[in-house]
Amino acid sequence: MGKFELGRNEKCLCGSGIKYKYCCMGKQDEPETNINLTKKSQIDKMIKAGRFKHCIHPNQNECSENIIKAHSIQHNKILNNLSKDGMLIMFSYDFNNNNDFFINYKLIGKKNSTTFTGFCEKHDKITFQPIEDKNFIGNDKQNFLFAYKAFAYEFHKKLEQLNGYQVRFKTKPSLAKDIDFYLNYLGVELGLNDLVYYKEIFDKSIMENDYSNIETFIIKFKGSSKIAVCTGFILVYDLLGSKLIIDELSIERQKLIFLNLFPQNDETFVLFSWLKEDTEHYINFKNQLLEASEKQQISILNNLIPSYSQNTVINPEFFDKLTDIEKDNLTKVFNYNFDDNNYNLIKKNLIIDSSYNLFKNLNID
Ligand SMILES: [Zn+2]
Ligand SMILES: [Zn+2]
């Protein structure tokens, strides 16, 4: 396992940028302050410690002073619509009595749901005006902005994750010998390196008002969904089960898909976006999805959403009407993401009939 240990000449995991041997090597762990906390409180604390505020907009000269909690899913148009008494259903982590990690649904206040501190007030407002204040008509700029928002959310989340690991390492340098910690750290760092490539492309598009670098295809359903999604992910398999993820040992970057799903008036829009240069990579997926019947498309979305996106909000009244079995089965798929044995079960079979329907109210069959 030697190669999975932090080497003396590698960059220190505290984020200093200095070699480990000149930085935290040999330092003592600080006394644990978390010992009496529940596991959930410990993780909450680590997530909180990783949080930071900055603006990722490329035009840093024009930033306003205050960084706000920006909503990844539009507040006025979508969250207001889907919430009930200011609350929404979301899926987040918890621990059972045996201290086992799992994902469960809970009511979350609209104000704090889907937010991230990745934009200053000014840039959040002016950048996303064309999708926050105007109806979606699917022009290039709107399509680009939906993809950009999903990217910004994922990018900021990754930065905070890495920061969380670094803050933790600073207080506990002995984690250098903890293989799980080291591998998780490397995984986040690798993902972030890929995202930096995307940031350059998004930045350039924004500065030059050129939105042609992003390709989006749109599926539309009649009826207004009781759910909304904003996320970016690496599709592991296409709809026929062919592997799409890039081999881990390859130096090639992973190819992200950005997914936005939202109701507008009496329609539901589903936007899949990627870099134009990745069109070839995703062409089969796109064609398979477009050739599927409406009913199949609904099934695919039912499988795909919990397999890939925790940044999903559901109207509480609609959720209440699902049967207990449906709620259980849906929760299971969210949990497969953290379960090695079932990780690919649904991801590899996105086309199978799902045992719950997140789009029941659309009456598609
Ligand atoms: Zn260090
Ligand atoms: Zn700014």
Side-chain angles (χ1 to χ4, degrees):
M1 283 309 233
K3 86 173 199 200
F4 290 127
E5 242 184 56
L6 180 62
R8 298 163 52 86
N9 288 315
E10 285 173 68
K11 267 195 301 183
C12 190
L13 304 189
C14 73
S16 63
I18 303 171
K19 282 181 182 177
Y20 176 50
K21 65 178 176 188
Y22 298 131
C23 194
C24 294
M25 195 170 102
K27 277 190 195 159
Q28 294 291 315
D29 290 355
E30 285 173 23
E32 281 288 350
T33 52
N34 290 349
I35 270 174
N36 295 319
L37 296 177
T38 62
K39 236 179 178 174
K40 175 155 185 345
S41 308
Q42 286 181 30
I43 301 232
D44 283 343
K45 220 178 150 184
M46 188 164 145
I47 291 174
K48 218 171 155 191
R51 287 213 180 114
F52 65 97
K53 299 174 173 184
H54 68 153
C55 179
I56 71 167
H57 193 279
N59 202 340
Q60 294 281 312
N61 298 329
E62 291 180 351
C63 283
S64 61
E65 249 170 58
N66 47 334
I67 305 292
I68 53 153
K69 273 189 176 174
H71 287 272
S72 54
I73 298 178
Q74 285 96 301
H75 183 256
N76 295 330
K77 289 179 73 91
I78 303 172
L79 296 181
N80 272 346
N81 250 318
L82 291 178
S83 62
K84 162 83 179 155
D85 302 327
M87 304 300 272
L88 292 150
I89 293 282
M90 288 192 81
F91 282 76
S92 66
Y93 69 91
D94 214 333
F95 287 87
N96 65 17
N97 294 335
N98 293 328
N99 254 338
D100 297 322
F101 171 98
F102 71 108
I103 300 288
N104 206 0
Y105 51 86
K106 48 187 83 147
L107 276 170
I108 306 238
K110 179 183 68 177
K111 266 194 199 140
N112 291 315
S113 66
T114 83
T115 53
F116 66 113
T117 50
F119 286 104
C120 68
E121 188 168 19
K122 180 179 169 187
H123 280 138
D124 183 59
K125 193 165 170 32
I126 60 166
T127 310
F128 298 105
Q129 227 153 24
I131 55 173
E132 178 75 47
D133 299 344
K134 293 206 176 86
N135 265 343
F136 176 71
I137 53 166
N139 62 37
D140 282 356
K141 186 168 186 179
Q142 287 184 323
N143 293 344
F144 172 89
L145 289 174
F146 270 103
Y148 180 53
K149 194 140 212 183
F151 160 78
Y153 176 77
E154 300 294 341
F155 181 64
H156 182 77
K157 215 170 57 179
K158 269 273 184 308
L159 284 171
E160 287 193 335
Q161 247 175 355
L162 188 70
N163 191 41
Y165 279 118
Q166 292 172 339
V167 170
R168 177 84 184 118
F169 185 80
K170 238 179 257 178
T171 63
K172 199 179 177 187
S174 67
L175 285 169
K177 293 188 176 67
D178 182 325
I179 288 170
D180 285 339
F181 180 88
Y182 187 42
L183 288 181
N184 285 336
Y185 185 103
L186 290 182
V188 173
E189 204 179 42
L190 216 63
L192 204 51
N193 285 345
D194 280 350
L195 288 178
V196 167
Y197 179 80
Y198 286 81
K199 183 167 189 307
E200 280 168 18
I201 291 178
F202 278 115
D203 283 357
K204 193 164 172 280
S205 299
I206 288 170
M207 295 307 272
E208 294 173 2
N209 277 311
D210 172 7
Y211 307 110
S212 61
N213 287 327
I214 299 295
E215 167 156 338
T216 298
F217 82 94
I218 302 169
I219 299 176
K220 213 165 70 170
F221 297 106
K222 272 199 192 110
S224 157
S225 68
K226 296 294 182 186
I227 143 175
V229 179
C230 172
T231 190
F233 57 90
I234 302 149
L235 192 66
V236 185
Y237 297 97
D238 71 10
L239 299 181
L240 298 178
S242 296
K243 205 168 188 179
L244 283 177
I245 195 167
I246 307 293
D247 189 273
E248 263 180 57
L249 298 171
S250 162
I251 51 158
E252 215 181 319
R253 76 178 155 81
Q254 295 292 350
K255 295 173 171 54
L256 279 119
I257 281 193
F258 302 102
L259 167 64
N260 284 276
L261 183 153
F262 55 89
Q264 176 176 277
N265 301 324
D266 45 14
E267 289 177 311
T268 299
F269 291 88
V270 188
L271 279 56
F272 287 95
S273 312
W274 46 70
L275 297 185
K276 196 153 264 169
E277 64 183 78
D278 292 346
T279 296
E280 196 61 36
H281 185 80
Y282 278 125
I283 193 77
N284 286 339
F285 170 70
K286 176 180 173 180
N287 289 336
Q288 290 157 3
L289 195 52
L290 290 177
E291 281 161 17
S293 68
E294 270 205 327
K295 195 184 168 206
Q296 285 171 324
Q297 289 174 340
I298 291 289
S299 247
I300 292 160
L301 289 170
N302 271 315
N303 290 320
L304 188 136
I305 290 165
S307 293
Y308 288 103
S309 173
Q310 253 172 269
N311 200 31
T312 295
V313 295
I314 307 177
N315 167 256
E317 283 172 304
F318 171 80
F319 190 76
D320 271 348
K321 283 187 210 143
L322 297 178
T323 64
D324 287 346
I325 295 175
E326 282 182 300
K327 286 177 192 166
D328 273 3
N329 287 336
L330 173 63
T331 307
K332 259 186 211 156
V333 182
F334 274 103
N335 278 286
Y336 287 163
N337 289 311
F338 304 91
D339 169 2
D340 286 345
N341 294 323
N342 290 311
Y343 185 78
N344 284 322
L345 192 66
I346 303 295
K347 289 188 176 72
K348 204 172 178 172
N349 296 289
L350 291 174
I351 206 146
I352 55 169
D353 286 342
S354 59
S355 46
Y356 48 82
N357 190 355
L358 293 167
F359 303 91
K360 215 181 239 183
N361 64 313
L362 301 188
N363 294 317
I364 291 168
D365 29 41

